[in-house]
Every structure is written in C-alpha cells, then in structure tokens.
C-alpha cells in the first residue's frame, strides 16, 4: 500500500489553536463551482487555496471573472467517514468579487477522496439559510511519501 502525503490535508489535520496562518496553493483541475445556485464550473480556475489560521481552515475557489468562494470550518473538528476519507465540517461560506465578500452561515462539509491513483479530490458542499447552494470540486495530483534518507555511517 502506498502512503500518500498531502500538505493541505496535513495542515487541516494538524492545525491547532496556537498555529499561525498558513496557506497552500494547489494546482490542478476545478471540476465544479456553484455559487448561490449559479453554475460557474466552466470559468473555475485551476488553483485552490487551503488556508489555516489558528483553528479555522478554508478552501478557496476562484472563477475567471474574479468571483471567489471560500468554504470555512473549524479544522479541529475534522471527522472521518471511512478510514481513508476525512470530512471537514463547514459552517461558513464566503462568496464575493474583488474583495467584497461577506461571510454567510452555512451547513456543509468538504471531503477528501482518491478518484484515481495519484489524484486527490477535494469536494465541498454547503447550504445557506433560504436554500442557497454552494459547491466546488477540485482534483490535484498527490505525491508519494518519500522514504527517509539512509543514515550516514
């Protein structure tokens, strides 16, 4: 069995209350982006930011026209649906354009899966009061864990 090491997942898993802000930029393919029910999947950019600040984590999607969507939750509350699929509860979405974004309370989660060997998918879904739907799916390459260097003799 190959052990995969993902920097952004490690940040989510090990983010503690005293941890300073950290951001990881992932390159890959945005397969889905829906902001307040509007499908912007065709305009979704090929980068995803994972930011951790204190005990909060967010996954930030961007569209070609400058619109952004962030899914935010408490990183310390991560759950597991199965041994290999972590689940990050979401309690806020932040949708906006050009920095004019206000947080909206929402209920949802981001999950992490392996859709193909060497790939990881981050899928976020949330619903806000009034039924507004938010979702995003991003696929990125993984890196195999590197074996430790042999000890010098």
């Amino acid at each position: 069995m190959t052990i995969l090491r993902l920097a952004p997942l490690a940040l989510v898993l090990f983010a503690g209350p005293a941890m300073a802000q950290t951001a990881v930029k992932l390159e890959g393919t945005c397969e889905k982006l829906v902001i307040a029910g509007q499908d912007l999947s065709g305009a979704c950019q090929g980068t995803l930011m994972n930011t951790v600040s204190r005990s909060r984590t967010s996954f930030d999607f961007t569209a070609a026209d400058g619109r952004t969507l962030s899914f935010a939750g408490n990183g310390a509350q991560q759950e597991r649906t199965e041994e290999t699929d972590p689940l990050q509860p979401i309690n806020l979405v932040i949708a906006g354009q050009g920095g004019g974004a206000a947080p909206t309370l929402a209920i949802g989660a981001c999950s992490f899966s392996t859709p193909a060997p060497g790939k990881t998918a981050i899928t976020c879904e949330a619903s806000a009061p009034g039924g507004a739907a938010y979702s995003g799916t991003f696929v990125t390459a993984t890196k195999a864990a590197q074996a430790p260097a042999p000890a010098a003799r």
Side-chain angles (χ1 to χ4, degrees), residues 32-36 61 69 71 123-126 133-137:
K32 182 177 182 182
L33 179 61
V34 176
I35 300 176
F61 293 79
L69 175 61
F71 294 89
T123 302
C124 298
E125 296 180 337
Y134 299 87
S135 62
T137 300

Side-chain angles (χ1 to χ4, degrees), residues 110-124:
C110 290
S111 62
F112 314 96
S113 63
T114 306
K119 301 281 184 185
T120 293
I122 300 163
T123 302
C124 298

Side-chain angles (χ1 to χ4, degrees), residues 33-56:
L33 179 61
V34 176
I35 300 176
Q38 184 179 11
D39 189 347
L40 300 173
S41 299
C44 191
Q45 299 294 294
T47 58
L48 178 75
M49 291 297 294
N50 173 218
T51 305
V52 177
S53 180
R54 300 195 180 182
S55 65
R56 304 271 315 158

